[in-house]
Amino acid sequence: MTDQLTPFDADRESDTDAGREFDSLDPRNGDVIATYPLQGTADVEAAVARARTAARWWDVQGFRGRRNWLLEFKRAVASEAESLAAVVSRESGKPSEDALLEVMLAVEHLDWAAKNAKKILKQRKVSSGLVSANQAAYVGYRPFGVVGVIGPWNYPVYTPMGSIAYALAAGNAVVFKPSELTPGVGKWLADKWQSIAPSQPVLQAITGDGSTGAALCRADVDKIAFTGSTATAKRVMATCAENLVPIVAECGGKDAMLVAEDADIDAAVEFAAFGALGNAGQTCAGVERIYVAKPVYQQFLDRLAQKVVTTEPGGAPDSAYGPMTLGKQIGIVRDQIQDALSKGGRAVVGGVDSVRERYVDPVVLTDVPEDSTAITEETFGPTVVVNEVADLEEGVARANASKYGLGASVFTKNKAQGRRIAERLQSGVVTVNSVLGFAGVPALPFGGVGDSGFGRIHGADGLREFSTVKSMTVQKFTAPLNLLTLDRKARDMKISAWMLAKRHG
Ligand code: NDP
């Protein structure tokens, strides 16, 4: 991390909330990594006020100027990717290879947002229609002003960058509140921006806990981009409602994978293991439920068990996955395994004893009743349920029975069938014959339905999410039928009535 003085640091001394601090800890061993200020209302309001001023400068840069600045920011991040990945790895505990891949994906999004904002958001002409042929009609997109980004700890660069990059490219200034588990990541990003544009705090980070996030919602922000749990999203919405601040909510998931009778079982097993255990299962769109068609159920289960039984978490750079980042999640994972087993489920790999003090070994459960919490609630751990279904039809029904709807996947050699099934799955994103395949496609909007949230980050929709729509008409000539007058002529009304009947009657 750099030790440069940021605008944020410079003002800290004068803030009334100065003095309160918290530690960020290495989840592999509990060691203190660094200490950060726990910022309160005064700090947050000051950061938002600075952002408000910077937003005016940022707006004046226009699409071309912002593209250049953002590409410079991208190069600055990319050229020190390993330093950022080291912070991610230390704070989240994930293996450094995984952390570097996360940075790589985040950089791809930054690049895409920078290069595509003009094409998507520039004012465009639309048809004005027959009745208003005398008007030229335009749709344009304006930045909100200041966007507050509240991020989680599981992908502390990639996930918030899905909001930060798109909000910046759309012309907003951003105040970023990283999770209290990963504050160093937020500070690293804000410092990096500060190193290229020292006098323009277009991207700032504020550090603290949930109260700092709540203060951000109450500060003078124009939009909140929230990523985190569904329960917190509801609190964030309630706080934002006080000032009618709109939000985009990227929440948890309970993603299902469907495996058809004709699927490539080896490939499905490989993706299932990665989707369920990667990042210790702490992936919003990770695989948590697998529904396998009866003819291949046993074969799939045996091969998955064989594949993961020797998988070991650890703290090495190339470990399969790391520790549980959030201590209290360990109890949730244990409770869900217990609940599944007590209701008649079977553990094929691991069990309750797989849940250790900091690490959770792989757990594969089967025959788990659909009312178990391992099926109904987000687990966020390296456990997965594999249940048998008669066919894909039953698989679709079970997948769609969840209150969540973030991601889903289908495995079948019949790609046309795969796409048909994919269309019917109630989720914001879906993959055929892979998992998480969308993460590296910046053009694809990302987000969920139901308890997984609303609104979209990434892609054209992600850029529009951080813009307000501005519609405009320019009168070209006086209308032959002059209806927008208090002195409407009987002849004009007669022709209008005739047109109505002819066109729509
Ligand atoms: P949390 O909901 O606990 O926290 C998310 C963020 O909100 C954190 O920065 C947190 O701060 C902050 N926060 C907490 N309370 C408040 C409050 N009252 N007002 C404003 N902000 C608040 O989620 P986690 O960090 O534990 O992340 C895991 C969750 O995120 C999982 O459910 C996962 O599925 C979801 N997620 C969703 C993604 C998606 O794109 N759909 C992507 C990644 C994760 P602090 O941490 O300091 O308490």
Side-chain angles (χ1 to χ4, degrees):
M1 282 193 295
T2 109
D3 54 9
Q4 278 171 313
L5 196 67
T6 66
F8 150 72
D9 290 324
D11 282 10
R12 195 190 304 153
E13 290 306 302
S14 60
D15 280 331
T16 53
D17 301 289
R20 294 192 297 154
E21 293 182 329
F22 67 103
D23 295 330
S24 77
L25 307 174
D26 185 334
R28 289 170 286 208
N29 48 30
D31 288 353
V32 173
I33 303 168
T35 301
Y36 293 90
L38 199 158
Q39 299 194 279
T41 304
D43 304 287
V44 175
E45 285 178 351
V48 172
R50 286 191 295 273
R52 178 76 52 206
T53 307
R56 286 193 275 277
W57 169 79
W58 193 230
D59 190 18
V60 171
Q61 302 310 301
F63 288 114
R64 182 186 280 273
R66 287 194 292 271
R67 173 190 160 116
N68 292 341
W69 278 106
L70 287 174
L71 291 180
E72 194 178 335
F73 180 47
K74 176 201 78 170
R75 284 188 287 274
V77 173
S79 59
E80 288 185 48
E82 294 198 351
S83 138
L84 176 56
V87 182
V88 172
S89 179
R90 263 201 308 276
E91 291 191 327
S92 69
K94 72 176 67 178
S96 49
E97 286 182 359
D98 287 1
L100 192 62
L101 287 178
E102 183 185 336
V103 173
M104 190 184 91
L105 283 179
V107 166
E108 287 297 331
H109 280 277
L110 187 51
D111 184 68
W112 194 93
K115 289 179 178 164
N116 286 278
K118 182 175 178 185
K119 188 171 79 190
I120 289 151
L121 301 179
K122 74 169 186 233
Q123 193 184 60
R124 64 175 198 275
K125 201 162 186 244
V126 295
S127 164
S128 45
L130 185 64
V131 172
S132 302
N134 66 319
Q135 305 278 357
Y138 303 90
V139 180
Y141 297 88
R142 295 285 305 140
F144 276 92
V146 179
V147 172
V149 174
I150 299 177
W153 44 263
N154 59 338
Y155 290 92
V157 176
Y158 173 72
T159 293
M161 191 57 91
S163 296
I164 293 170
Y166 293 80
L168 289 174
N172 304 279
V174 168
V175 178
F176 172 35
K177 189 334 231 152
S179 164
E180 67 191 294
L181 303 187
T182 52
V185 173
K187 183 160 173 8
W188 193 100
L189 289 172
D191 284 351
K192 193 51 68 192
W193 173 267
Q194 214 255 337
S195 73
I196 66 165
S199 58
Q200 299 297 346
V202 164
L203 172 61
Q204 301 171 79
I206 49 170
T207 54
D209 59 11
S211 67
T212 310
L216 183 58
C217 298
R218 286 201 177 91
D220 180 29
V221 292
D222 303 297
K223 180 146 190 171
I224 287 286
F226 170 81
T227 308
S229 62
T230 308
T232 309
K234 290 177 186 175
R235 286 199 286 278
V236 167
M237 273 185 90
T239 310
C240 286
E242 292 168 16
N243 297 311
L244 210 62
V245 172
I247 81 163
V248 44
E250 299 294 340
C251 308
K254 190 74 200 173
D255 291 10
M257 172 196 268
L258 307 190
V259 182
E261 184 181 343
D262 72 341
D264 176 340
I265 299 298
D266 285 336
V269 163
E270 192 65 36
F271 277 117
F274 176 71
L277 306 184
N279 204 30
Q282 303 165 126
T283 302
C284 52
V287 176
E288 300 214 346
R289 302 176 289 155
I290 306 179
Y291 295 112
V292 188
K294 188 177 169 113
V296 289
Y297 158 76
Q298 197 59 49
Q299 185 190 3
F300 178 90
L301 187 64
D302 292 346
R303 287 204 208 165
L304 180 64
Q306 198 182 6
K307 162 107 196 139
V308 306
V309 74
T310 51
T311 302
E312 278 181 33
D318 59 350
S319 294
Y321 61 87
M324 299 296 287
T325 309
L326 177 65
K328 76 171 191 228
Q329 197 67 27
I330 293 175
I332 294 172
V333 174
R334 187 189 293 113
D335 288 350
Q336 289 196 8
I337 299 170
Q338 254 158 1
D339 182 63
L341 297 178
S342 71
K343 287 185 171 138
R346 289 188 292 126
V348 183
V349 174
V352 175
D353 293 344
S354 306
V355 182
R356 297 186 274 125
E357 193 192 337
R358 295 186 183 279
Y359 291 87
V360 177
D361 295 320
V363 178
V364 179
L365 304 169
T366 192
D367 295 337
V368 177
E370 296 287 313
D371 64 346
S372 305
T373 51
I375 295 278
T376 58
E377 299 299 329
E378 185 178 43
T379 309
F380 234 48
T383 74
V384 67
V385 172
V386 181
N387 275 354
E388 180 186 306
V389 287
D391 50 25
L392 283 184
E393 283 304 314
E394 188 186 351
V396 170
R398 294 218 198 166
N400 287 349
S402 176
K403 62 188 175 184
Y404 292 104
L406 189 55
S409 54
V410 192
F411 283 78
T412 168
K413 285 194 186 128
N414 180 342
K415 291 201 181 105
Q417 165 176 256
R419 287 183 62 179
R420 275 197 303 278
I421 294 291
E423 285 290 343
R424 292 173 51 204
L425 288 166
Q426 282 163 28
S427 64
V429 283
V430 61
T431 50
V432 179
N433 292 336
S434 79
V435 297
L436 298 165
F438 47 82
V441 186
L444 276 178
F446 180 75
V449 298
D451 272 13
S452 292
F454 51 84
R456 292 295 180 265
I457 56 172
H458 303 170
D461 297 81
L463 286 164
R464 292 190 196 107
E465 186 73 51
F466 295 106
S467 311
T468 60
V469 182
K470 185 81 165 264
S471 299
M472 188 187 290
T473 60
V474 178
Q475 178 154 309
K476 295 185 286 186
F477 51 86
T478 309
L481 293 179
N482 194 7
L483 305 175
L484 302 182
T485 169
L486 296 178
D487 305 316
R488 225 174 269 137
K489 293 198 178 93
R491 168 191 158 272
D492 287 357
M493 273 317 294
K494 202 170 155 191
I495 296 173
S496 300
W498 176 82
M499 277 173 62
L500 172 65
K502 276 283 170 216
R503 270 170 61 73
H504 303 294

